[in-house]
Amino acid sequence: MNAQLEHTTAALLEDEVAGRYPDARGRYGPFGGRYVPETLVAPLERLADACRLLRDEGFLAEFSAELRAWAGRPTALTPARGLSRRWGAEVWLKREDLAHTGAHKINNAIGQVQLAKRLGARRVIAETGAGQHGVATAAACARLGMPCTVYMGALDMERQAPNVGRMRLMGATVVAVLNGDRTLRAAVDEALRDWVSDPDGTYYCLGSAIGPHPYPYLVRELQSVIGREARQQLLDAAGRLPDAAAACVGGGSNAIGLFHAFLADRSVALLGFEAGGRGSGLGENAASIAHGRPGVLHGCYSQLLQDVDGQVQETHSVSAGLDYPLVGPEHALLALTGRVRYEAIADDVALAALAECCAAEGILPAIESAHALAGAREWARTHAGATILVCLSGRGDKDLKTLEATLLAGAGAAA
Ligand SMILES: *Cc1c(COP(=O)(O)O)cnc(C)c1O
């Protein structure tokens, strides 16, 4: 790195740690912003304005009460004795798999639906890929009495049938998206189209730390409960901060929720793990930081998987929740400044880590979360005796069909 660039990235990091991002234009250094049709500018302005409520005592009391009494927070911090022995490190798991509906997504969904009510919206819409964000939003809407419509790619509806059933049971309308790639990317396009047609009466509940400003900020604030809790729980239980904190990165919401509490603790290494899929070639992975270049998707400028002509690439990952071609803009900044180290984890390496966690801890993690476990395990190899905090973003029951076709098929063949 030349001296000029080093100086620039150091200044960017200083601004980030001081909490100066997003700036007034919704930017995180060079990333972020708001690339949307004219009709969405005013509603996004209103939403940015409503983010004042994130500092409002009444709103926060209501949010905390729902997190506690309905969503099951605080989630446990588990000393992972089996993994610690195997890895030669002290491993702690932040158990978002124990949160209501089985993942961290509920923190964001309940907070945004509360916000929708305050804004006077008549209905809530959402997009979903694997169905986890759709289920969380449907649950939050049922809880708070809001009509809910979820857009889901037709291909995903086939692959994730149980989640479609869960959403419908909770009263949501699930709309099959038949255009485009018939997966998450097309579902986001469709949700944005719906929102454009009624930006005042409809609230768009976005599921990760992506999208136009203020969504990356809003989602980060709602998810930062993960890191705040974990930091305090570890101080209480072990009397110290971790040497490293690790999370998987799709759009980046569980990771930014974990990292934010530790940004200023320079002694804590922050590690983000993307979906390395089957390899480093175009279309073989969903690792936007490792293999992408800056570009715009769904209203946001960030690291994007694209070909030489700027066409957005198809992605692949064994975990549906990480299978998206863009990463949140704050992660793009954290990668640029070097504060967080990002790495891609291959499908089979993540699956092996999942199996190890089941056997050593009696916990079946989501395949997404297994990317964080695999990366943390790798880090532990060169940091014997270190204390490592891993965000277990969700539970793996939803992945049984995939596991039957992979890990369990292998076990069957071997027996
Ligand atoms: C959706 C999901 C993810 C990926 O989303 P982020 O916004 O990157 O956190 C990770 N883990 C689980 C269990 C998920 O459901």
Side-chain angles (χ1 to χ4, degrees):
M1 202 187 292
N2 67 39
Q4 169 84 47
L5 188 61
E6 215 167 297
H7 175 76
T8 310
T9 56
L12 287 170
L13 181 55
E14 196 184 311
D15 284 342
E16 166 69 359
V17 172
R20 294 188 197 109
Y21 296 128
D23 64 18
R25 290 155 60 231
R27 296 233 165 215
Y28 301 80
F31 303 108
R34 188 185 274 166
Y35 298 82
V36 294
E38 190 68 38
T39 37
L40 288 184
V41 172
L44 284 167
E45 237 354 280
R46 249 195 328 277
L47 183 58
D49 216 43
C51 285
R52 275 182 294 108
L53 287 169
L54 299 171
R55 304 267 172 271
D56 177 87
E57 257 175 56
F59 182 86
L60 288 175
E62 200 181 311
F63 180 47
S64 300
E66 287 301 300
L67 287 180
R68 199 169 46 246
W70 181 72
R73 301 207 75 87
T75 56
L77 180 73
T78 302
R81 299 202 185 93
L83 292 178
S84 297
R85 233 182 351 260
R86 286 161 184 247
W87 297 2
E90 197 181 310
V91 186
W92 295 81
L93 303 176
K94 180 56 175 164
R95 301 288 307 282
E96 294 302 294
D97 60 311
L98 296 177
H100 182 43
T101 66
H104 67 290
K105 296 233 162 58
I106 201 71
N107 307 325
N108 172 51
I110 191 71
Q112 284 203 50
V113 176
Q114 279 177 351
L115 206 56
K117 291 200 86 155
R118 292 285 189 111
L119 281 165
R122 288 185 301 274
R123 67 193 274 266
V124 168
I125 61 170
E127 84 295 337
T128 198
Q132 294 302 106
H133 174 58
V135 169
T137 306
C141 285
R143 171 75 178 169
L144 299 180
M146 285 288 267
C148 177
T149 298
V150 179
Y151 290 94
M152 190 169 185
L155 199 63
D156 287 335
M157 284 180 74
E158 267 171 48
R159 295 192 289 196
Q160 312 286 338
N163 275 341
V164 178
R166 291 166 83 195
M167 286 184 260
R168 287 187 171 143
L169 281 168
M170 289 187 275
T173 304
V174 183
V175 179
V177 178
L178 298 162
N179 19 350
D181 61 357
R182 298 188 300 145
T183 67
L184 179 60
R185 183 147 60 96
V188 179
D189 285 336
E190 209 54 38
L192 283 168
R193 212 162 305 164
D194 178 324
W195 195 28
V196 168
S197 72
D198 173 29
D200 296 324
T202 296
Y203 181 91
Y204 179 18
C205 180
L206 216 153
S208 189
I210 54 168
H213 178 66
Y215 282 108
Y217 164 71
L218 173 57
V219 175
R220 175 191 91 194
E221 290 296 292
L222 296 172
Q223 291 292 6
S224 60
V225 65
I226 300 173
R228 272 200 312 275
E229 279 180 13
R231 191 176 189 282
Q232 193 55 51
Q233 286 169 315
L234 192 60
L235 283 172
D236 291 344
R240 56 163 300 178
L241 291 175
D243 296 303
C248 66
V249 180
S253 70
N254 86 91
I256 202 71
L258 179 73
F259 294 162
H260 233 255
F262 298 101
L263 277 185
D265 302 313
R266 300 296 178 99
S267 68
V268 181
L270 299 176
L271 313 171
F273 297 104
E274 302 188 288
R278 289 187 283 256
S280 59
L282 270 183
E284 292 188 332
N285 60 76
S288 333
I289 293 175
H291 303 301
R293 285 182 292 119
V296 172
L297 181 67
H298 297 140
C300 178
Y301 180 72
S302 187
Q303 287 288 120
L304 174 68
L305 289 166
Q306 54 189 311
D307 66 15
V308 287
D309 300 320
Q311 291 297 316
V312 179
Q313 281 308 286
E314 299 279 305
T315 51
H316 161 80
S317 170
V318 67
S319 64
L322 302 183
D323 207 349
Y324 181 73
L326 188 93
V327 72
E330 195 161 10
H331 287 291
L333 175 68
L334 288 167
L336 180 67
T337 62
R339 178 64 186 95
V340 181
R341 224 178 74 200
Y342 297 86
E343 257 173 58
I345 299 292
D347 284 350
D348 55 343
V349 178
L351 289 173
L354 178 144
E356 185 181 37
C357 184
C358 289
E361 299 299 334
I363 297 169
L364 167 55
I367 303 179
E368 291 84 355
S369 320
H371 287 69
L373 287 167
R377 183 181 205 268
E378 197 54 44
W379 192 83
R381 271 182 212 269
T382 50
H383 297 81
T387 299
I388 310 178
L389 169 66
V390 182
C391 184
L392 223 123
S393 55
R395 67 180 183 225
D397 308 56
K398 67 177 179 61
D399 295 319
L400 267 178
K401 221 171 126 185
T402 305
L403 297 174
E404 271 157 17
T406 51
L407 280 180
L408 291 166

